[in-house]
Amino acid sequence: MATMLEGRCQTQPRSSPSGREESLFHRSITDLGFCNVILVKEENTRVQNLLSGRVPGGTGEGQVPDLVKKEVQRILGHIQAPPRPFLVRLFSWALLRFLNCLFLNVQLHKGQMKMVQKAAQAGLPLVLLSTHKTLLDGILLPFMLLSQGLGVLRVAWDSRACSPALRALLRKLGGLFLPPEASLSLDSSEGLLARAVVQAASAPLGLWTGALAVLRSLWSRWGCSHRICSRVHLAQPFSLQEYIVSARSCWGGRQTLEQLLQPIVLGQCTAVPDTEKEQEWTPITGPLLALKEEDQLLVRRLSCHVLSASVGSSAVMSTAIMATLLLFKHQKGVFLSQLLGEFSWLTEEILLRGFDVGFSGQLRSLLQHSLSLLRAHVALLRIRQGDLLVVPQPGPGLTHLAQLSAELLPVFLSEAVGACAVRGLLAGRVPPQGPWELQGILLLSQNELYRQILLLMHLLPQDLLLLKPCQSSYCYCQEVLDRLIQCGLLVAEETPGSRPACDTGRQRLSRKLLWKPSGDFTDSDSDDFGEADGRYFRLSQQSHCPDFFLFLCRLLSPLLKAFAQAAAFLRQGQLPDTELGYTEQLFQFLQATAQEEGIFECADPKLAISAVWTFRDLGVLQQTPSPAGPRLHLSPTFASLDNQEKLEQFIRQFICS
């Protein structure tokens, strides 16, 4: 079994001495389905069975040779020792006092906790993967799981980070320490079994990193009247064994990004190949090197699946909503009274899409609190009649708002991909600044929409889309189209005898459509796409559609603009260079362009890295070995200025001004 945990923090003011109710927090979190894990009651302290190891989800069974079994037991004896109940209870008591000083509460959804407890009762080992949203995870999460009856979570520590006496104490508290032979290089025959045991038993977390986080937290809280409200999210547990079986059954033909997109970018063909994209950015280092190629692919896709589950279970914070509104709708400023309505609208849209929000309380208080957290990046101007004018600070502050707004992209990703694909379809037909009514006259065929969505899907990084291993591109295309219809942006022009355009039941997506043999996407011999030839759509003329369409397009604009600027940078980049060196060159160019053109949301080092990796997969940049390490150089195909301009124009068709 595996699940994901992540901590999200938001500051909350302490209740005043007069007993005034909190305006930023629901007075009873139990009404919302949450429990406060730092509010420990008497029944939560009965943990003798847990401390002695008699808990569901223990070790598995199997036949092991005696010599190997003894060696494994010796290694495990070095790694961990049975926890001492008295020390664990004493440490938990001290930690509980610290957590109550630091946190207003630590929220845990009771429904999510029941899922994990049910998985633990299956009798299989329960592996918890933390996304490490905060440096306090290594201290907070074991306490939280112990208080909820899941036993002592074994947290791995680096033995070199502490003295022998401290190491002995932490082992009695449930800490794991790596045996000396486990730190040898992978090509060493010595310690092979130790490394295998360690890989199966831990994920390391620095001791002093956690201690430093505690000290920093205490220092920041010293003399401060605010405490932190933290929420721990638990994703849906899944069976690793079932995942492996289903993942292997879904493997089919795949092509590289260079094979899929480069001919289309250069205008050499128009048909999109009917295969999936092979783009794996997980570094092949450490334990992955010891695996077969098929197993390496399995591990990579497992990491994508886990990351997707983590994103899907994460709550959206109020600062992300505020940053999104200010960056993509009101860069020139907005009144607080107008923000009240738009904040409420965007929160409702998030909840309607099945995502959670990490806040509650009075709307005006929430907005004021969010603005106080963003005070370094916004200007507040008080005007007559008691209203406030909120203006984003020009310059690097916009980069920070863009980083916060990226939290909303997974919520609206399908609609954003669809809106940008429609923009690319309209790019050659109507002027970019043309009126919405003119664009609504044009008929858009379903095949054309599928093609544009596929092109944009292939261009976008895999770690952004986070498609499930068994989810095909064509299934995602239909999902995107359905979302555009459901949110009212597209209106179907039905023809007599045609099936409904918005087929949420996926009745049309037969096995033949999901996993078709290789061939051109636009092949008229396909019965499934032959049906789609007669389906057409128009842009809706409802009053809210133009603003919502522009909002969706702008969610992807930081990434797409960074890619377009990376294409323009090919003319002046200094190559050959190392990947790190060229990425730094590109980042400096993005910063310089931001100063000149005011596009600060693109001046992000993460976007520079993503652009370099995408261009490498696209065949724009080629990697060659050298004595000093791999070096990037411009491919002969894109040494041509004409082809560089084609690449830039291909990217810019999806950008809405």
Side-chain angles (χ1 to χ4, degrees):
M1 298 289 178
T3 187
M4 294 287 298
L5 295 90
E6 100 182 60
R8 309 299 297 272
C9 295
Q10 174 177 330
T11 57
Q12 299 280 359
R14 191 192 302 262
S15 299
S16 63
S18 61
R20 180 173 52 89
E21 290 290 337
E22 294 287 347
S23 60
L24 301 179
F25 188 68
H26 199 279
R27 67 182 64 185
S28 177
I29 61 174
T30 57
D31 294 342
L32 302 177
F34 292 92
C35 63
N36 183 5
V37 298
I38 62 174
L39 181 61
V40 178
K41 299 179 181 179
E42 191 271 337
E43 59 266 22
N44 300 120
T45 63
R46 299 171 181 170
V47 290
Q48 269 73 12
N49 288 340
L50 301 176
L51 296 176
S52 62
R54 297 189 296 271
V55 349
T59 57
E61 298 181 358
Q63 298 297 324
V64 183
D66 290 340
L67 291 177
V68 176
K69 187 174 182 179
K70 290 180 180 179
E71 178 65 9
V72 170
Q73 289 174 344
R74 184 194 69 81
I75 295 170
L76 287 174
H78 183 93
I79 294 175
Q80 65 186 38
R84 299 294 180 87
F86 173 74
L87 289 178
V88 172
R89 292 170 69 91
L90 180 63
F91 180 77
S92 299
W93 175 84
L95 182 61
L96 181 61
R97 295 297 181 270
F98 161 73
L99 293 176
N100 274 281
C101 292
L102 182 61
F103 295 107
L104 180 66
N105 53 61
V106 178
Q107 301 174 20
L108 176 66
H109 198 281
K110 291 183 286 188
Q112 294 179 351
M113 193 66 236
K114 287 181 179 179
M115 291 190 308
V116 179
Q117 290 171 338
K118 185 177 181 180
Q121 293 171 0
L124 297 174
L126 192 66
V127 181
L128 301 166
L129 303 177
S130 173
T131 54
H132 296 301
K133 288 293 183 179
T134 71
L135 294 177
L136 289 173
D137 283 3
I139 295 176
L140 175 61
L141 297 182
F143 171 82
M144 182 269 296
L145 293 173
L146 176 63
S147 67
Q148 296 301 310
L150 282 179
V152 179
L153 176 67
R154 300 290 189 171
V155 180
W157 306 99
D158 187 352
S159 60
R160 296 167 295 182
C162 56
S163 64
L166 185 57
R167 184 163 63 246
L169 174 62
L170 290 175
R171 287 177 63 195
K172 294 177 181 179
L173 291 172
L176 302 180
F177 289 94
L178 315 184
E181 58 266 33
S183 61
L184 298 176
S185 61
L186 289 172
D187 56 358
S188 172
S189 59
E190 184 180 359
L192 183 62
L193 184 58
R195 290 193 295 273
V197 173
V198 168
Q199 291 169 19
S202 60
L205 183 67
L207 169 63
W208 297 118
T209 302
L212 184 60
V214 172
L215 294 176
R216 286 179 175 174
S217 300
L218 288 174
W219 179 260
S220 62
R221 297 297 117 198
W222 185 263
C224 182
S225 60
H226 294 79
R227 287 187 291 173
I228 296 174
C229 174
S230 179
R231 179 180 294 184
V232 179
H233 301 280
L234 298 170
Q236 173 69 48
F238 65 93
S239 168
L240 182 58
Q241 183 178 10
E242 293 177 2
Y243 170 82
I244 292 175
V245 173
S246 61
R248 292 185 190 277
S249 66
C250 293
W251 289 355
R254 290 174 177 260
Q255 292 185 356
T256 65
L257 185 61
E258 180 177 355
Q259 295 170 323
L260 288 170
L261 271 192
Q262 190 180 107
I264 298 174
V265 170
L266 300 178
Q268 298 171 353
C269 72
T270 58
V272 184
D274 189 14
T275 55
E276 301 299 312
K277 178 177 66 173
E278 184 63 48
Q279 186 185 45
E280 304 294 350
W281 286 358
T282 306
I284 308 179
T285 57
L288 274 180
L289 289 174
L291 301 178
K292 296 184 297 184
E293 183 177 355
E294 182 181 349
D295 292 332
Q296 289 181 11
L297 182 60
L298 185 66
V299 171
R300 289 165 172 168
R301 295 186 181 177
L302 176 62
S303 65
C304 183
H305 179 85
V306 169
L307 184 58
S308 176
S310 171
V311 170
S313 64
S314 299
V316 178
M317 309 308 289
S318 60
T319 49
I321 297 178
M322 182 63 69
T324 302
L325 292 173
L326 294 177
L327 181 66
F328 297 129
K329 291 178 71 71
H330 303 294
Q331 280 200 29
K332 295 183 179 180
V334 60
F335 291 112
L336 182 62
S337 55
Q338 183 179 350
L339 272 179
L340 287 170
E342 294 189 353
F343 189 96
S344 177
W345 161 76
L346 193 51
T347 301
E348 183 178 351
E349 292 291 332
I350 293 169
L351 295 174
L352 286 174
R353 285 161 175 79
F355 283 76
D356 194 11
V357 293
F359 54 86
S360 62
Q362 299 176 4
L363 184 58
R364 180 174 289 273
S365 299
L366 280 171
L367 261 67
Q368 292 173 346
H369 179 61
S370 301
L371 291 173
S372 69
L373 296 177
L374 298 173
R375 58 184 175 273
H377 312 290
V378 298
L380 302 178
L381 306 175
R382 187 170 299 277
I383 60 175
R384 294 180 180 178
Q385 300 176 346
D387 207 348
L388 281 177
L389 179 64
V390 184
V391 183
Q393 295 278 13
L398 294 178
T399 305
H400 181 73
L401 294 181
Q403 292 170 345
L404 291 174
S405 67
E407 193 175 314
L408 255 72
L409 188 54
V411 180
F412 297 95
L413 184 58
S414 297
E415 293 98 322
V417 169
C420 290
V422 171
R423 176 69 193 98
L425 197 56
L426 297 175
R429 304 186 184 183
V430 295
Q433 304 297 336
W436 183 261
E437 293 77 10
L438 177 62
Q439 301 180 36
I441 296 176
L442 298 176
L443 283 178
L444 309 175
S445 74
Q446 183 164 318
N447 271 347
E448 290 176 321
L449 288 168
Y450 274 163
R451 181 180 182 276
Q452 286 298 118
I453 294 171
L454 276 175
L455 291 178
L456 182 55
M457 277 181 60
H458 291 328
L459 178 65
L460 294 176
Q462 198 82 340
D463 60 348
L464 175 68
L465 290 174
L466 293 177
L467 298 182
K468 300 294 191 302
C470 290
Q471 185 178 15
S472 71
S473 297
Y474 292 100
C475 183
Y476 186 75
C477 284
Q478 184 62 44
E479 177 183 327
V480 169
L481 191 58
D482 286 350
R483 289 291 186 91
L484 292 179
I485 298 172
Q486 290 166 3
C487 70
L489 285 179
L490 286 184
V491 177
E493 292 286 327
E494 301 289 353
T495 57
S498 64
R499 296 182 182 179
C502 183
D503 187 6
T504 56
R506 300 292 192 273
Q507 297 175 358
R508 300 194 310 277
L509 294 175
S510 61
R511 181 179 298 273
K512 180 178 179 182
L513 175 60
L514 293 177
W515 297 106
K516 300 189 303 171
S518 297
D520 287 343
F521 158 67
T522 55
D523 189 354
S524 60
D525 293 335
S526 169
D527 294 336
D528 298 290
F529 286 98
E531 292 182 4
D533 287 340
R535 298 194 188 100
Y536 290 88
F537 303 88
R538 297 181 190 272
L539 287 175
S540 173
Q541 297 301 304
Q542 298 182 41
S543 58
H544 75 280
C545 286
D547 287 340
F548 189 46
F549 181 84
L550 189 60
F551 170 76
L552 293 173
C553 288
R554 285 178 173 171
L555 288 176
L556 278 173
S557 62
L559 177 69
L560 293 174
K561 288 180 180 178
F563 280 16
Q565 292 182 29
F569 181 65
L570 295 174
R571 307 182 184 99
Q572 61 187 73
Q574 300 299 316
L575 289 170
D577 197 355
T578 63
E579 182 179 294
L580 181 61
Y582 188 73
T583 302
E584 182 60 29
Q585 286 188 54
L586 176 58
F587 177 55
Q588 292 177 1
F589 176 77
L590 294 178
Q591 289 181 311
T593 306
Q595 294 290 343
E596 296 173 4
E597 303 180 8
I599 314 178
F600 287 94
E601 59 267 28
C602 303
D604 189 333
K606 293 182 180 179
L607 296 181
I609 294 173
S610 184
V612 171
W613 287 0
T614 299
F615 281 17
R616 182 191 60 197
D617 292 345
L618 187 56
V620 178
L621 301 173
Q622 294 181 345
Q623 187 170 281
T624 56
S626 71
R631 295 179 69 83
L632 295 177
H633 64 88
L634 192 61
S635 70
T637 302
F638 286 91
S640 164
L641 183 61
D642 182 51
N643 287 344
Q644 293 176 13
E645 291 178 349
K646 288 180 179 178
L647 174 63
E648 185 177 355
Q649 290 304 314
F650 174 81
I651 298 171
R652 289 196 179 278
Q653 68 174 318
F654 301 109
I655 301 175
C656 194
S657 59

